[in-house]
Amino acid sequence: MATMAAIVECREDAFRKIFKFYKRRIPPPNFSDVFDFSKPMTSDKVVQVKIDPQAVSDGDAARVGLQPVRDWRVFNLKGYPGFIFITNPFLRGSQAYWVRQCLKTYPRKPNVCNLDMHMSPSDTQDIWAKSVCNLSRPDGKREPKTLLERLRWVTLGYHYNWNSKTYSANHYTPFPAELRLLSHQIAAACGFPGFSAEAGILNYYRSDSSLGIHVDESELDHSCPLLSFSFGQSAIFLLGGTQRQDPPTAMYMHSGDLMVMSGQSRLLYHAVPRIVPAPQEVAVVEQSSWGSDQQECVSQEDWAVCSEYIQSSRINVTVRQVLGQSQSFPETPLREEHQAEGEDRSKRRKGVYSPQQT
Ligand code: OGA
Ligand code: MN
């Protein structure tokens, strides 16, 4: 007789088992159960939905590199209220701009990155310039890995403290205006016109990286949606339930795809067990003259570095509103905060939040 304990134990392992299944290298897993929103849908769990095309004007959408809202393909998943998946709504060529921002602009000071934990600010001041310089050195003198290749995460706005798992009022730098506007338009199109981008976490995945099972609950107001963008190679994303052990649904996230976790889905367990090569038919990032103005266009030289990078990597951008309307941070003793900062994230429990190498 199967005991209750055995059933509970089995359930407890359901997410972990599926995570391990998709992470496995030898033999490679069967991917036939992974939803692919870029393909005609066969599952009755996937529901294509209409969103209000008037919520964002075509001009406002184009200004941040997005197609008119009426052309977006938007999906809900049965059993996951508030979860919204939008297949690549970017205008042709505009992803290159966002990739360049994520690789060249956002890692710059005053933003914070994993390399700051064991390098001086002057060494991490311009990761891009140092990496490009290293790449173009004559062979023998190259560092084995560029700083760009060692970049794992960048934080924006209210800088997430990985140790205390909190944000705080006194560790804030201005959130990039163009990413704030992009997020605002997407949230507005999804029915959240009041969304305010206050914190960003950028994850940089190599082909063997994964992201452990977790919930994003550090933000103080969970009624605000969380936006997630994917660029470069594809990922297998697992969306679970409110309990750690609930078995998850697997789906591909391809370059340009967006997820909005709102409502009940805002606090669901999720993970990225595997990065997979972008399929040929999914329009991968291409360079074009798109940019909010001439100065903002991606140059040939910059694009050469970006395209090389994303051939083997994935960039994930999550944008969060930390505080609800007229909410503020609770008072925290300064001493506590400073103690928590500056520790190397690699010493932390494996699998929480930042992509890990295997
Ligand atoms: C996160 C996250 C998922 C992804 O950064 O919290 O869940 O698709 N990212 O990389
Ligand atoms: Mn997350």
Side-chain angles (χ1 to χ4, degrees), residues 203 205 211 214 216 237 253 270 272 314 316 318 320 353:
N203 288 310
Y205 295 83
L211 177 69
H214 69 278
D216 295 286
F237 182 86
M253 224 186 155
H270 56 279
V272 176
R314 168 178 184 255
N316 168 247
T318 51
R320 301 128 192 268
Y353 278 115

Side-chain angles (χ1 to χ4, degrees), residues 138-159:
D139 267 8
K141 291 192 173 156
R142 270 184 64 169
E143 297 278 339
K145 270 198 172 161
T146 63
L147 294 182
L148 214 43
E149 288 165 327
R150 290 165 52 199
L151 190 62
R152 291 291 166 268
W153 55 263
V154 165
T155 55
L156 312 170
Y158 286 118
H159 297 280

Side-chain angles (χ1 to χ4, degrees), residues 33-93:
D33 284 342
V34 183
F35 288 155
D36 192 338
F37 293 91
S38 70
K39 298 215 169 103
M41 263 309 154
T42 47
S43 168
D44 56 6
K45 272 183 89 176
V46 175
V47 188
Q48 187 161 1
V49 291
K50 278 267 151 267
I51 53 174
D52 179 9
Q54 314 268 302
V56 176
S57 74
D58 293 0
D60 284 346
R63 218 155 283 136
V64 289
L66 295 169
Q67 296 172 25
V69 173
R70 79 186 95 84
D71 294 336
W72 297 6
R73 294 176 66 243
V74 184
F75 301 91
N76 287 162
L77 260 187
K78 278 193 189 148
Y80 298 92
F83 177 77
I84 304 168
F85 193 106
I86 306 168
T87 57
N88 179 16
F90 289 93
L91 289 165
R92 264 188 97 131

Side-chain angles (χ1 to χ4, degrees), residues 67-345:
Q67 296 172 25
V69 173
R70 79 186 95 84
D71 294 336
W72 297 6
R73 294 176 66 243
V74 184
F75 301 91
N76 287 162
L77 260 187
K78 278 193 189 148
Y80 298 92
F83 177 77
I84 304 168
F85 193 106
I86 306 168
T87 57
N88 179 16
F90 289 93
L91 289 165
R92 264 188 97 131
S94 73
Q95 281 188 60
Y97 167 85
W98 294 108
V99 170
R100 193 268 319 263
Q101 294 302 85
C102 291
L103 293 176
K104 183 176 184 178
T105 312
Y106 301 153
R108 283 194 189 132
K109 300 281 142 292
N111 300 332
V112 182
C113 73
N114 64 303
L115 300 170
D116 295 323
M117 302 300 143
H118 43 85
M119 291 174 80
S120 70
S122 63
D123 286 337
T124 57
Q125 175 51 37
D126 202 340
I127 288 168
W128 173 271
K130 278 212 161 78
S131 300
V132 172
C133 193
N134 187 46
L135 282 173
S136 52
R137 276 175 110 173
D139 267 8
K141 291 192 173 156
R142 270 184 64 169
E143 297 278 339
K145 270 198 172 161
T146 63
L147 294 182
L148 214 43
E149 288 165 327
R150 290 165 52 199
L151 190 62
R152 291 291 166 268
W153 55 263
V154 165
T155 55
L156 312 170
Y158 286 118
H159 297 280
Y160 187 65
N161 183 318
W162 302 100
N163 300 303
S164 63
K165 298 200 173 79
T166 58
Y167 302 94
S168 72
N170 45 23
H171 197 184
Y172 177 84
T173 57
F175 192 95
E178 67 289 347
L179 182 57
R180 192 182 151 77
L181 191 58
L182 173 72
S183 304
H184 182 83
Q185 308 300 23
I186 290 163
C190 293
F192 301 96
F195 181 77
S196 171
E198 294 174 331
I201 299 180
L202 279 62
N203 288 310
Y204 300 82
Y205 295 83
R206 311 299 292 180
S207 55
D208 57 353
S209 308
S210 59
L211 177 69
I213 307 164
H214 69 278
V215 177
D216 295 286
E217 57 188 356
S218 300
E219 297 72 27
L220 300 185
D221 187 322
H222 297 146
S223 68
C224 307
L226 185 151
L227 312 188
S228 178
F229 304 81
S230 195
F231 299 111
Q233 298 303 304
S234 302
I236 306 266
F237 182 86
L238 298 178
L239 183 64
T242 51
Q243 305 292 310
R244 174 76 167 64
Q245 63 270 25
D246 294 339
T249 298
M251 62 197 86
Y252 286 106
M253 224 186 155
H254 299 301
S255 196
D257 288 350
L258 300 182
M259 280 180 191
V260 178
M261 293 173 87
S262 70
Q264 287 181 36
S265 84
R266 176 65 181 74
L267 293 173
L268 297 182
Y269 279 92
H270 56 279
V272 176
R274 196 186 190 98
I275 301 302
V276 287
Q280 297 266 296
E281 63 278 13
V282 171
V284 183
V285 193
E286 53 188 333
Q287 197 215 353
S288 88
S289 53
W290 191 89
S292 41
D293 60 47
Q294 196 52 41
Q295 253 191 322
E296 287 291 295
C297 288
V298 181
S299 69
Q300 287 293 348
E301 298 96 293
D302 284 0
W303 181 240
V305 178
C306 291
S307 69
E308 159 90 34
Y309 183 91
I310 57 165
Q311 263 163 44
S312 58
S313 309
R314 168 178 184 255
I315 305 169
N316 168 247
V317 181
T318 51
V319 178
R320 301 128 192 268
Q321 178 167 343
V322 176
L323 301 164
Q325 264 190 352
S326 67
Q327 193 176 21
S328 55
F329 286 102
E331 294 287 330
T332 40
L334 262 179
R335 198 161 45 83
E336 237 173 65
E337 263 171 41
H338 286 165
Q339 271 170 1
E341 270 171 42
E343 238 179 71
D344 191 332
R345 199 183 177 196

